[in-house]
Amino acid sequence: MKRICISWGCALGIVFLISSCNNSAEQSAQTGTEVTEQIALQEEGTVAEDGKIHLTIETNDAMKFNKKELKAKEGIPIRLVLTHTGKMSKQEMGHNIVFLKAGVDGRNFALKAMDARETEYIPSTEKDNIIAYSRLIGGGEFAVVEFIAPPKGSYEFLCSFPGHYNLMKGVLIVE
């Protein structure tokens, strides 16, 4: 009888341990969401207490960014959080964000990116034309990009996943 109680107690302990691990994972996910929400509360394009401009942009399974324009100040560090609010995987509906240098043709960049599957659609031949870019993400994921805002001007940003350029592009305005 004692043996059964000890086994039963061990089984309950294991169940408790497993459920605690699951709760920790959920709390971590919630913490990531809370951080994104805190960044979103800041007025876009303003310098935060940490000296960075915190920006957010979302994308979805319908191949759209929720913003067509982002603003920053010349020479100030930018911390951008890209969130994929859809459900599809990065193989089916992956998204990234690529900031191009002034004068770079986004359409030509996107055409070259189509052949760069091994590098998540960032063509190695075009690295000199890029200010910054994120990794490729799927539904429910996010990526953080940090870079220094370039000189005053307008800079195109886009998703370089094949076929997304026409719908997923915008402009970073640096003042």
Side-chain angles (χ1 to χ4, degrees):
M1 195 70 161
K2 245 184 187 179
R3 208 178 230 174
I4 294 172
C5 291
I6 293 171
S7 297
W8 182 250
C10 288
L12 283 175
I14 291 170
V15 168
F16 178 74
L17 180 63
I18 291 170
S19 67
S20 295
C21 291
N22 286 341
N23 288 340
S24 296
E26 287 173 20
Q27 288 173 354
S28 295
Q30 289 171 349
T31 302
T33 303
E34 289 168 4
V35 168
T36 303
E37 288 171 355
Q38 287 172 356
I39 292 168
L41 291 176
Q42 177 185 325
E43 185 179 342
E44 290 288 319
T46 61
V47 180
E49 289 179 16
D50 64 1
K52 296 178 184 176
I53 296 174
H54 292 259
L55 301 172
T56 61
I57 191 165
E58 294 179 355
T59 186
N60 56 36
D61 290 337
M63 295 192 321
K64 291 184 180 177
F65 285 125
N66 69 331
K67 298 174 184 168
K68 295 288 184 188
E69 185 178 283
L70 298 170
K71 291 189 177 182
K73 297 190 185 323
E74 178 181 18
I76 304 293
I78 295 172
R79 183 174 196 265
L80 179 128
V81 177
L82 170 69
T83 305
H84 190 322
T85 61
K87 300 202 182 291
M88 297 175 84
S89 72
K90 72 178 184 180
Q91 292 78 17
E92 300 169 297
M93 187 60 67
H95 297 305
N96 63 9
I97 190 164
V98 182
F99 293 90
L100 300 176
K101 291 183 177 177
V104 175
D105 184 321
R107 181 172 301 285
N108 286 336
F109 180 90
L111 288 172
K112 292 175 184 174
M114 291 175 72
D115 295 327
R117 182 177 177 192
E118 301 80 34
T119 54
E120 295 191 326
Y121 306 105
I122 303 296
S124 59
T125 59
E126 296 298 304
K127 294 251 179 172
D128 290 341
N129 291 325
I130 299 171
I131 297 168
Y133 64 93
S134 73
R135 66 184 178 88
L136 194 66
I137 59 173
E141 297 179 329
F142 71 94
V144 177
V145 183
E146 293 190 330
F147 60 101
I148 305 295
K152 292 179 182 180
S154 297
Y155 302 87
E156 184 173 15
F157 66 82
L158 57 93
C159 174
S160 65
F161 192 88
H164 290 195
Y165 172 73
N166 286 331
L167 296 174
M168 298 186 71
K169 57 188 172 184
V171 63
L172 170 66
I173 299 169
V174 181
E175 301 169 336

